[in-house]
Amino acid sequence: MAVSEAKRGERVDSDDMTIAYVGGGSREWLPNLAQDLALADLDGTIRLYDVNPESAELNADFGNWVQDREKATAGWTYEATGDLDDALDGADVVLLSTQYDPMETFVHDLDITEEHGIYHAVGATIGPGGILRAMRTMPEYKRIAARIREQCPDAWVFNFTNPVHFVTRALYDEYPDINAVGLCHEVVHARQRLAELASEHLDVDAAREDISVNVKGINHFTWIDEAYCDGTDLWPLIEELADDEEGNRTFTPEDLEDESPFNDEWQVSWELFRRFGALPFAGDRHIVEYATWFLNGGKEGLNRWGVKRTGSDFRAKHWDPAESEQTTDVTAWMDGEEPFELEASGEAFIDILEALSGGERFVTNVNMPNRGQVEGVEHDAVVETNAVVSAGEVRPLAAGGFPRPVRSLVQGHVDTIETVVEAARDGDVDRAFEGFLIDPQVRTLQTEAAAELFADLVEAERDYLTDWNLDDADVIDDV
Amino acid sequence: MAVSEAKRGERVDSDDMTIAYVGGGSREWLPNLAQDLALADLDGTIRLYDVNPESAELNADFGNWVQDREKATAGWTYEATGDLDDALDGADVVLLSTQYDPMETFVHDLDITEEHGIYHAVGATIGPGGILRAMRTMPEYKRIAARIREQCPDAWVFNFTNPVHFVTRALYDEYPDINAVGLCHEVVHARQRLAELASEHLDVDAAREDISVNVKGINHFTWIDEAYCDGTDLWPLIEELADDEEGNRTFTPEDLEDESPFNDEWQVSWELFRRFGALPFAGDRHIVEYATWFLNGGKEGLNRWGVKRTGSDFRAKHWDPAESEQTTDVTAWMDGEEPFELEASGEAFIDILEALSGGERFVTNVNMPNRGQVEGVEHDAVVETNAVVSAGEVRPLAAGGFPRPVRSLVQGHVDTIETVVEAARDGDVDRAFEGFLIDPQVRTLQTEAAAELFADLVEAERDYLTDWNLDDADVIDDV
Amino acid sequence: MAVSEAKRGERVDSDDMTIAYVGGGSREWLPNLAQDLALADLDGTIRLYDVNPESAELNADFGNWVQDREKATAGWTYEATGDLDDALDGADVVLLSTQYDPMETFVHDLDITEEHGIYHAVGATIGPGGILRAMRTMPEYKRIAARIREQCPDAWVFNFTNPVHFVTRALYDEYPDINAVGLCHEVVHARQRLAELASEHLDVDAAREDISVNVKGINHFTWIDEAYCDGTDLWPLIEELADDEEGNRTFTPEDLEDESPFNDEWQVSWELFRRFGALPFAGDRHIVEYATWFLNGGKEGLNRWGVKRTGSDFRAKHWDPAESEQTTDVTAWMDGEEPFELEASGEAFIDILEALSGGERFVTNVNMPNRGQVEGVEHDAVVETNAVVSAGEVRPLAAGGFPRPVRSLVQGHVDTIETVVEAARDGDVDRAFEGFLIDPQVRTLQTEAAAELFADLVEAERDYLTDWNLDDADVIDDV
Amino acid sequence: MAVSEAKRGERVDSDDMTIAYVGGGSREWLPNLAQDLALADLDGTIRLYDVNPESAELNADFGNWVQDREKATAGWTYEATGDLDDALDGADVVLLSTQYDPMETFVHDLDITEEHGIYHAVGATIGPGGILRAMRTMPEYKRIAARIREQCPDAWVFNFTNPVHFVTRALYDEYPDINAVGLCHEVVHARQRLAELASEHLDVDAAREDISVNVKGINHFTWIDEAYCDGTDLWPLIEELADDEEGNRTFTPEDLEDESPFNDEWQVSWELFRRFGALPFAGDRHIVEYATWFLNGGKEGLNRWGVKRTGSDFRAKHWDPAESEQTTDVTAWMDGEEPFELEASGEAFIDILEALSGGERFVTNVNMPNRGQVEGVEHDAVVETNAVVSAGEVRPLAAGGFPRPVRSLVQGHVDTIETVVEAARDGDVDRAFEGFLIDPQVRTLQTEAAAELFADLVEAERDYLTDWNLDDADVIDDV
């Protein structure tokens, strides 16, 4: 039998992929990504969109310049555009990585919160600062989701913007059929750390890729209950380290004075493992914002666990391109002022792209709506688990549940997140405050003090909360 | 057609009811109950069991003496016994109301907890003190449940012993088919208060019985979302009062100096109503132990809301029969030293007994395992809602769910309760500590400080925790 | 403290109640209802709306005439209107009881289905005929629900129109905040039957009101697992009757020849009780449409259980006012041609109205969305359980779950109902057919035969399916 | 830091694997498996256990003989044992593949059922015959699970014995911590068929391995809602084929006369796809036992869809080693009477073993308890989905849910399975009959006819139902 016009569906084509990069003017990530892409087995077009068009154009120039290097194997063309719809039109893949609200908002998040007696470790994804950041960011991302629905409804959308759980959830809230995946490096770093511990204590030479874990939770508050190193069960080692010297080190403020806040000693993780039998699997600086016991002792109490605050001074410096160690001067490379060597960064995102376009199947951690992958946590909440990425598909693994106390902590944060997501639908500030009020950091204040903190934050960041009905908010009037 | 030996089931017979009263030596409640029973339309036998046989015998004498008063309408015979099985043998109804651990344990609950920085308002049903009390009490009640299974498996069991949720849950954990109902007066008092407010502000003359509410939650953390006064919707009034002077009164420590801790100003309730749109419906002194924001300001912070701590000094005095205002000297009555007038106390329990034995159907609040009556809270957790009591039946009403933030608070406490109940199965102290650690009062401490508090409490109350494997507990060794 | 303008909510006022009766031209029910209302302790206005205005006017005349009888205690005024909005405007209570599609559609439901090999017992609420009836009726009721939302959003709406589960569910699907309650007499009749059995076999003189049961299920497929007669447990008797002569009678077609189809022998109920341990609690003629084993033997097979088909000939006769025994000639009464005696019919609806307006609390069976009252059956499906009716409130009781096999049967029918309800949202005929196809009666056909039956029914009733997109239906084209 | 005795867990070691094969005397599968294993990159010991020791010894001889062939790459040693505990002692992997009840029982399953009017297509895994087979098999497998708990509690257990859902569920019911996985070839064959269709209709040359599907359901009643061929979405093709000639072929009994019952025309699958929008993904002969419309037309009705019954005559022949085409005479090979060429069979099980011991990650369909992988189907029921197999781990993918009508069909069968599993706990025959009675094949009978069929089957197979309390069964007495 012959079907004259047999139909076949669209696929993400490794020979002609269109990527829209929203936030494509980035000074941090694009310089690495462009090199990774250049060394991949992929061809296509990359459209860089940014509210700052010059940055996008500079990055496009750099991307094309990298493609001209001798070692480049891929066939990419970079374009810059100031029109979001143009960037998205028919895209196969969309990357979301922006930071539209300025550095000062982050300083407010941390400093105003501290003035009211809460000592944020990072303040970037939960707690008072994280919730305000979510309130600033979600409306913008709902607008982007609406454009994706129009311009490229079937595209695979990868969100790197924090707070990843809030933002990814907002994308689905606007456009439920979106193929959106939140990505984050914390689990990858933890696998790296576990590889080092296995190499140190067992007779193996393990790399990050050798470590497989059953990860579950919400972004920045992920846990594992199984870990293997190339098939060897690591749980006996983990139990030993938790009770041994490794898991019982203490620190003074002096010890950490010259350390980077990104340094991770895992002492919070070991403590929580001892208490609950599951191991947190993200940086301790993030974990303490969710398992908030560790914030109750101020600077000294936090430092005791090896965690150094990511303070507003650090953030301010980090933000300033002239000061930051994380931004890259691509002009210097293109102008030959700095030597350039085309090198892969080890970024897992390239593995995802290759798997998605038909390359080798890849298992990695993703943030997606809960459709059964995490037991005991609300359906449709954005949870983080492993997923199998294969040609055209990203399919989460069924990771099972938690010990009850951990489940309680996780679902508690989901309740805050979902409340604020619901509030964002019609800009209901009082409803957002309900989510704020049940956050465990905020629950160390009295209700009126919580309202004052909230009102002060809203006041300071008013310019970036224009989608919220500030005028009708009792919580602000009352204060 | 004639069925020669047609079968009919047993019923609770109003003419021949057997009540077993565990804790029947009570100086507080029995004197009232005996009068209520004497005035009811019920006959039968009441067996008073107590670990202190003299108290039981004195109460039996008193009960029989009351029956001899001229106004007595019922036909009760009182017996005292020191054998639990004898008391329970074939009983129709079992009352549980005991306090076996001595006053000093309650002093520890409050004072040791305060030394570690947590300012309990009552400390009797949740938080560090309440959890320790549950650890002392649950094993005893599981033993009672096991005896009920043997001696009177179909009896209706009414538990008045605190913490009502922990204790009632423990009865079901031991004997899942038990017909146990936890009872508590807080909701009744709140209906009384609402009747007074309605009478004051609307053109009605309302009594407690005129107020019907849709109540739900867990004991001492109950909420309403509907209230009627003889069919009139009270919600508009409640909304007005919350925003008006009534709902916005503040207090100083001086204001409360001469007040009883039982005095209830409802300022916590109005504040929570303003924040979440549902109204707490138990005494504020209990509510603050669950909605813990109000404990964060110490004495002054708590007093500001009109709540006066039920401190250990008050408890000590209250405990001492010579000092307490709540105990009754029945000997003085029987000896004619005090004038006695047979009077009903208005106790709802009599209405329950009459309805259960075929009298008028009665609707009241009960604590029973969740079989659907509260949405969004764990199945089988002991929840409090209204129930219809009719001949042979106690059937909870489907009360619906909560606003999400309230649901989150309630389920969080259920997670603590269920964790400690699970721990009690094999006396696992470390597991009990997991439940302790996630309590929101404890979450204001660091984890190690929480462990020290827990270990100090266990140490002080060691004699009353003999069912727990204290020797194998890491949490105690580590401290 | 004085609140100057204290607010009180609306109530259903027993002295000034406004009832809108949609289908108020009824020849069957209104004549009884008008007498019941006249003898109640209620006053107000009744607006009769009907697509046939003359019928409504005649009934209004009759209602007012009844009010003039000497024995009438209530103070009602009847009005007739041909405008639905006028009828509903500000109503306290809305009654829904209509049959707009003509008798011939019911004849089609039964006869076409029989031609395709399915022997309906009633065909009125489930199975091929019942589903088609739902498809004809639901769109009309969604329009009524939309008018209620505009004209009297807080009214209590009582739906008597079949299929009660489909229709009540459609009201909520259109207007989720509607206060709608589906009512049906089957459970009341079953309580009557149980009272008779108790009187016959036990030493009691029981009336319907003495029987209390824990009823649950969906309308016409309700079950009990507890039954009391004035507090006496009837379960031992039920177990005995099921195994005895009473529960094991068989019938021939000849036995039933002169019987009314409404006659109920309970042999199906006893058989299902023996198999599953729970007792069906609606007429056997309805039960067999849901527990479809009994339809597999045609006329003889059905008669064997004492069930006589409610055939199209019976329906046709019943429909014709000149022939029906159920319609009442009110003119003959008003003209003095027939003697009239004002008498209560014993209709439970009056008890509901009185309780709702502040009279004695009343427990009765209702059909409402599942908010926990039935365990293991889908949330929001319309289920039937007992409810407490009190001033301004109708609150279902938490009835618990089923033995697993019964749960499976009930949820299977819910799946059909919910599928057709979803299909009705946009008139999707193919989706409705999916619900039709999984009905257990239809599952005795091959898929193509099922499609033919469906298409034939749709074709015959096309004039009454104008809200459905018949033109786009593959299932009809294919046949 | 040095940890002196760092611990590492056990792993499945590709260089020293111990496999226990329960049913190792198999004439069908072992000859293939031995060749596959010989060509793998694995070494170790295989212990063949069988109730027929001679068969096991012959297979051991054959296995060792194969290892001596020149092309053999692996290093396996085969042993035969008649002691189950010896076979299991410390095993890494256990294979379960037995058929202890003799051929005549299967003849009864089919023929007695047919005598009572139900025309089984296979009768091997559901419906009357399948349920009886489950009743015969489950007790035996519960005994094996108990031995595994003692001898090798951490082993990976692969069950190939039908009915796979019942049997795998029984293993977990006995030993909840077992690492058991049910395996079946139906999904693999369907992927093969889909590869052929893709090759035929699209411009590709696809093999089974190129097809990836999102499969979910219960064994033999699996469905897909996504299919890719090397990343190309196949859904447009599937939709076209369903409506085209391919999906609309009909067959007469004559057409199928010479066909094998294993021949699969997919006409049932296309029909169900047209009705419900999801594609069944197992052989049509199995699907019709679950989607029972197709059994309602007897032989002709079934043949019309291209399905030929696997009748008792076929089974009898197939069973007889002298007649069967599926058994292999290994003696002929060893004796040189038949030429032998060592060849891989393409069996997926080898890929699983290699992945489990640290080889390349492998995705395949497995039957495991539902821990979230299938939405809307009961927790802990054994469901079939894809899983990722990697070193030491088998982790199911979160496959999402079904269209509602399909979910209803699947959960209905789960209700039967779970009821019979519960009944097996204490050999409760009446409870097993409850599961039997709600099977949709049985629902085409009257209840008494169903009881007769059940009793006749039990009577005929009494010798293989010795774990059931036949004497206390009302359903058998009554008949």
Side-chain angles (χ1 to χ4, degrees), chain C residues 224-475:
Chain C
I224 63 169
D225 55 7
E226 293 186 20
Y228 295 86
C229 176
D230 192 24
T232 300
D233 185 356
L234 294 179
W235 222 244
L237 174 64
I238 287 169
E239 287 173 337
E240 185 173 308
L241 294 178
D243 287 336
D244 213 319
E245 194 186 335
E246 161 65 24
N248 289 280
R249 291 174 289 133
T250 59
F251 298 81
T252 64
E254 292 70 39
D255 292 339
L256 302 184
E257 199 162 350
D258 299 327
E259 293 287 344
S260 157
F262 294 126
N263 189 45
D264 194 356
E265 298 290 349
W266 271 36
Q267 296 309 308
V268 166
S269 295
W270 294 123
E271 169 73 354
L272 291 171
F273 177 77
R274 283 188 297 267
R275 298 306 176 190
F276 298 122
L279 183 67
F281 216 64
D284 276 1
R285 63 202 266 278
H286 291 302
I287 294 292
V288 297
E289 301 262 5
Y290 296 81
T292 55
W293 297 278
F294 305 92
L295 300 179
N296 292 325
K299 179 177 177 15
E300 200 164 345
L302 190 58
N303 288 173
R304 173 252 178 274
W305 300 96
V307 179
K308 183 175 179 182
R309 187 186 205 199
T310 314
S312 59
D313 52 341
F314 179 88
R315 280 194 170 270
K317 180 182 164 197
H318 177 72
W319 204 268
D320 181 347
E323 297 254 11
S324 171
E325 297 161 13
Q326 291 193 285
T327 62
T328 306
D329 182 359
V330 297
T331 313
W333 278 337
M334 288 192 284
D335 293 351
E337 293 171 13
E338 293 283 342
F340 177 80
E341 176 123 27
L342 179 50
E343 274 183 330
S345 74
E347 171 62 62
F349 179 61
I350 298 300
D351 297 310
I352 293 177
L353 277 191
E354 290 188 330
L356 207 55
S357 61
E360 195 182 353
R361 193 178 274 131
F362 186 64
V363 172
T364 192
N365 56 303
V366 302
N367 291 271
M368 291 180 76
N370 193 14
R371 302 278 153 80
Q373 60 264 47
V374 181
E375 284 190 289
V377 170
E378 189 167 340
H379 198 258
D380 280 342
V382 168
V383 293
E384 185 160 348
T385 64
N386 282 325
V388 183
V389 187
S390 58
E393 302 179 86
V394 181
R395 180 80 48 194
L397 276 69
F402 296 103
R404 179 195 283 276
V406 175
R407 194 207 66 83
S408 189
L409 300 177
V410 173
Q411 179 61 43
H413 291 294
V414 166
D415 284 324
T416 286
I417 293 167
E418 294 293 313
T419 301
V420 181
V421 166
E422 291 163 13
R425 285 179 199 151
D426 50 4
D428 182 340
V429 176
D430 288 318
R431 185 134 179 65
F433 178 63
E434 294 185 28
F436 184 94
L437 196 50
I438 62 170
D439 178 276
Q441 295 184 37
V442 178
R443 287 170 78 179
T444 62
L445 304 180
Q446 293 228 33
T447 53
E448 287 173 322
E452 283 163 19
L453 165 57
F454 185 78
D456 283 1
L457 285 165
V458 165
E459 200 51 53
E461 303 177 3
R462 179 174 278 272
D463 292 349
Y464 306 96
L465 296 168
T466 51
D467 293 278
W468 294 85
N469 297 321
L470 301 180
D471 294 344
D472 296 341
D474 288 344
V475 63

Side-chain angles (χ1 to χ4, degrees), chain B residues 287-364:
Chain B
I287 295 292
V288 296
E289 301 263 4
Y290 297 81
T292 54
W293 296 279
F294 305 92
L295 300 178
N296 293 325
K299 177 177 177 21
E300 199 164 346
L302 190 59
N303 288 173
R304 173 254 177 272
W305 300 96
V307 179
K308 183 175 179 182
R309 187 187 204 199
T310 314
S312 58
D313 52 341
F314 179 88
R315 280 194 170 267
K317 178 182 164 198
H318 175 71
W319 203 268
D320 180 347
E323 296 254 11
S324 172
E325 297 160 14
Q326 289 193 286
T327 62
T328 307
D329 182 358
V330 297
T331 313
W333 277 338
M334 288 193 284
D335 293 350
E337 294 170 14
E338 293 283 341
F340 177 79
E341 176 123 27
L342 180 50
E343 272 183 333
S345 73
E347 171 62 61
F349 179 60
I350 298 299
D351 298 310
I352 292 176
L353 277 192
E354 291 188 330
L356 206 55
S357 60
E360 195 182 353
R361 194 177 272 130
F362 186 63
V363 172
T364 192

